[in-house]
Amino acid sequence: MKPCRRNLKAALAIALLSALLSVRAAGDEPIGFRVVINPASVVTSVSRDELSKIFLRKTLAWRSGNAEAALPVDQRESSPVREVFTTWVHRRSLQAVLFYWQQQVFSGRGAPPPERSSDTSVMEYVAENPGAVGYVSPNAKLNGVKAIQVQE
Amino acid sequence: MPTAVNRFLVLVAFAVALFPGAARAIDLADGKLVINGAGAGAFTITDGNDVFNTELIGGHVGSFRNAEFNLFVAVKPMDRVTIVTLVFFDEIGQIETGLDWSFVEFLATDWLNIRAGEVKLPLGLSNEVEPIGTLRPFFALPAAVYGPSSIAADTYFGVGLTGEIAVPGGYRLGYDLYGGNMSFDTIEPFSALIASQPSSVRGSAIAPVKETVRNVLGGRLGLSTPVEGLNFRVSAYRGSLVDTSLEVLLLSAEYLNDRWSVRTEGYRSAQAAIGNINHGGYIEVAYHITDAIQVAVQADAMRTHRAGVKDDSQFLYHRGVAFGLNYWFSPALVAKASLQQIKGNRLAFPTLLADAIAIAKTNGTTISDETLLFTGGLQFSF
């Protein structure tokens, strides 16, 4: 194999490895959002799968936390944080999730979580409701809520 | 001439387009009361025969009388109890208003919900969301399956169980089981060929008729695969008509992603005691060229075997091919236009059919078995 092709293959491998490592290490949540819960909750971490089910209303209670009712709160469709959260947690595009909710709502099978227009209003909702969970910008100043880790 | 209902719907549609931030559910008391809505209005015209579908009627005189507005209200009086209601205002041929369905749902566990009341019939891919035009590429659902073809009732009145469970391998299995009574629209142009039928009398008009099915037991199994957007369903029910049993089996598959929408369904229904057999199906493919512009193509067909009517009758089969072009202002508002070529008179025929048959016989001609239907309209949801 010619030296330039070997170098190209090595460069691509390094770039791919760097990209994989830069997503996050196991146990760390991605940099695009932080998950916040009511401070009275005993939950300390949540898996991505459980978080997705909570926000898609496929499960109504926390697996940990004494099976307390889980009350998710979304941000508005136009929020960049929601787009990142949707892609990482649900592994779908925002359009796909909105389509899912249209089908659920209009077949009478469920209603989406309430929406709030800002990090502040999300934190207000979470602080007021035991069992509530929301997400905010990574640099949002937490007020009345606590952040938890999201495990892959 | 656009009717008052159409003018109202156009105003609502433009409101949805101009204020997309407002195009979301009305959510009160932190989700305890949620109001959603959907509407549609269309102009249709054919080159001769009248065309019948559940959300659309077309004739050789162009008509704006294809409009509907639906309000969905969900109330949560308690955490695990939801009351869901649909109020409709229709002008599909004639003006109708009423309560389409209304039921109570109790969330027993994560995988079991119990429903009771007038419940939307879980059949196939689209029966539960029939009024929601923003969930499909064509204005109307494929007539061969969801039209007045004797299988797709709007609702059942009874009790049902529904839920979804995770299956190893990343699959999810959704299920519905139900029992009760239902009624659906059926249209039988071939009855004009049977001397004992009222529709064979000159001056009588063929129109959809409501058939009631009692003692229904049915269900639907849905498999969501690990491939996002790839789903399969099988639906079936059995019940009793006045003079026979009715058995229906429907198989469905779809693949949906941000660009592609591919759906296909096929069914067989049998009223064995009186020798009525129907089978039909469709395939539909749509593609977003851009986020806003979508092209679509659909082919559907149905065949009826009816005791007392020759099997080669043009009134026993339907074949359609449609091409559509859509402009999505947003996921909640879309303008659609389509052209459909129909062969066969199972769902496309002169309304005063007995007269048309008699005139054709006198003149030595035949009723055209080809129909071209144009549909252009707006659909929205919030």
Side-chain angles (χ1 to χ4, degrees), chain A residues 42-60:
Chain A
V42 300
V43 175
T44 54
S45 68
V46 64
S47 69
R48 185 204 58 77
D49 180 65
E50 184 183 359
L51 192 61
S52 176
K53 285 185 178 134
I54 288 172
F55 273 82
L56 293 178
R57 307 305 265 150
K58 291 183 178 179
T59 187
L60 302 176

Side-chain angles (χ1 to χ4, degrees), chain A residues 59 93 95 102 108-109 116, chain B residues 30 110 115 128 162 176 258:
Chain A
T59 187
S93 68
Q95 292 306 325
Q102 274 203 14
R109 288 181 178 273
R116 292 296 182 268
Chain B
D30 278 335
D110 278 358
R115 303 173 140 192
E128 290 166 295
T162 184
D176 287 274
D258 287 351

